[in-house]
């Protein structure tokens, strides 16, 4: 079956670094997405990885290991506005997104 | 670029009425549009995938006669919730992708919050 696992909730301190992990098992693989979703709003695109390695984009970086079915989203210099849910989604062989349940990130001063 | 709008953003209706939600890609042509539903504290649940000019593909468990989808042009898809009931109250989100041959990054509309009384 198809499955995406990520922690339900994480807490971090303003200015710190946090890593949100995601493991996936999908029928075929065409890439891994990370989206940010603030409460009451629609998701916004953060990153897309299809090759192994780390992609850095400002304060946010995303890592992929295809052999391990594993990805993480790394957020540096955390700001209060980073409090949101972070959704991991895998693109399967039919180019359909399989969504994780999301990780709620709580930032404390 | 890649802006998607949804209208209305909020709707409250009586049980038994029908509600139409519009999804528009404002600055690109969207070959494929997706409709999601999200209940509180849950992830997105794909309801259906619609391609311009053809019938929508519904996910298992989604009633096609209740959730009517029309994708009449490359910039507009509509979702009509027919004979809405309180259990249909949810956050409905559409997204659009650039289509075949492109990375399937989905650009989301702002969502429509439906409350059925």
């Amino acid at each position: 079956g198809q499955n995406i696992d990520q922690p339900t909730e994480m807490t971090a301190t303003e200015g710190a670094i946090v890593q949100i992990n995601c493991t996936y098992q999908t029928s075929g693989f065409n890439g891994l997405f990370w989206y940010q979703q603030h409460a009451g709003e629609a998701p916004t695109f953060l990153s897309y990885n299809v090759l192994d390695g780390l992609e850095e984009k400002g304060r946010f970086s995303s890592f992929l290991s295809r052999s391990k079915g594993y990805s993480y989203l790394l957020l540096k210099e955390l700001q209060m506005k980073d409090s949101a849910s972070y959704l991991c989604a895998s693109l399967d062989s039919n180019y359909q997104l399989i969504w994780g349940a999301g990780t709620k990130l709580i930032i404390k001063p | 670029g890649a802006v998607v709008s949804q209208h209305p953003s909020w709707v409250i209706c009586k049980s038994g009425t029908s509600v139409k939600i519009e999804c528009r890609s404002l600055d690109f042509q969207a070959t494929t549009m997706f409709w999601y539903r999200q209940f509180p504290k849950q992830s997105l649940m794909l309801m259906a995938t619609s391609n311009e000019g053809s019938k929508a593909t519904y996910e298992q468990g989604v009633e096609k006669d209740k959730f009517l989808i029309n994708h009449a042009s490359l910039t507009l898809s509509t979702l009509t919730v027919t004979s809405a009931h309180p259990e249909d109250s949810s956050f409905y989100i559409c997204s659009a992708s650039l289509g075949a041959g492109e990375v399937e990054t989905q650009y989301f509309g702002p969502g429509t919050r439906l409350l059925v009384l």
Side-chain angles (χ1 to χ4, degrees):
Chain A
Q2 311 214 83
N3 195 45
I4 306 286
D5 282 320
Q6 52 181 131
T8 304
E9 187 174 296
M10 299 182 70
T11 303
T13 305
E14 189 177 15
I17 299 173
V18 71
Q19 178 175 310
I20 303 174
N21 296 324
C22 170
T23 58
Y24 62 90
Q25 288 177 301
T26 55
S27 55
F29 181 75
N30 282 299
L32 193 290
F33 289 83
W34 284 96
Y35 283 82
Q36 180 191 59
Q37 184 178 26
H38 284 99
E41 298 180 12
T44 55
F45 170 76
L46 289 179
S47 68
Y48 169 72
N49 293 64
V50 68
L51 300 177
D52 285 353
L54 186 68
E55 298 262 351
E56 297 188 66
K57 193 185 293 184
R59 294 189 298 115
F60 292 6
S61 302
S62 56
F63 172 83
L64 176 67
S65 169
R66 295 179 64 138
S67 62
K68 295 181 180 179
Y70 167 69
S71 173
Y72 68 72
L73 180 69
L74 189 72
L75 293 78
K76 302 177 184 177
E77 302 170 17
L78 285 170
Q79 301 175 10
M80 297 303 293
K81 67 178 182 179
D82 298 330
S83 292
S85 285
Y86 291 86
L87 309 177
C88 171
S90 173
L91 195 63
D92 72 8
S93 57
N94 294 319
Y95 284 88
Q96 179 166 321
L97 276 178
I98 309 300
W99 293 88
T103 298
K104 181 179 180 181
L105 178 62
I106 299 169
I107 310 295
K108 294 185 175 179
Chain B
V3 177
V4 176
S5 71
Q6 254 181 268
H7 178 79
S9 55
W10 255 108
V11 59
I12 301 174
C13 68
K14 293 181 179 180
S15 185
T17 60
S18 293
V19 175
K20 180 187 281 189
I21 303 170
E22 290 187 351
C23 177
R24 292 181 186 273
S25 56
L26 298 185
D27 52 1
F28 68 102
Q29 292 187 327
T31 305
T32 306
M33 287 186 169
F34 305 86
W35 286 97
Y36 292 88
R37 182 167 52 181
Q38 186 177 36
F39 293 105
K41 298 185 180 180
Q42 295 186 22
S43 189
L44 302 172
M45 291 173 53
L46 180 65
M47 298 175 67
T49 302
S50 74
N51 293 293
E52 184 265 338
S54 62
K55 290 183 179 180
T57 302
Y58 289 81
E59 294 301 298
Q60 196 171 8
V62 178
E63 299 173 57
K64 61 180 67 175
D65 294 331
K66 180 172 181 62
F67 298 99
L68 302 178
I69 293 173
N70 186 308
H71 193 161
S73 76
L74 285 171
T75 59
L76 173 64
S77 177
T78 60
L79 168 69
T80 301
V81 183
T82 62
S83 186
H85 288 98
E87 59 264 30
D88 299 322
S89 298
S90 186
F91 190 41
Y92 291 86
I93 311 172
C94 75
S95 71
S97 71
L98 295 174
E102 301 281 347
V103 167
E104 291 294 273
T105 302
Q106 293 184 24
Y107 300 93
F108 286 85
T112 297
R113 202 162 295 280
L114 171 64
L115 177 61
V116 184
L117 302 176

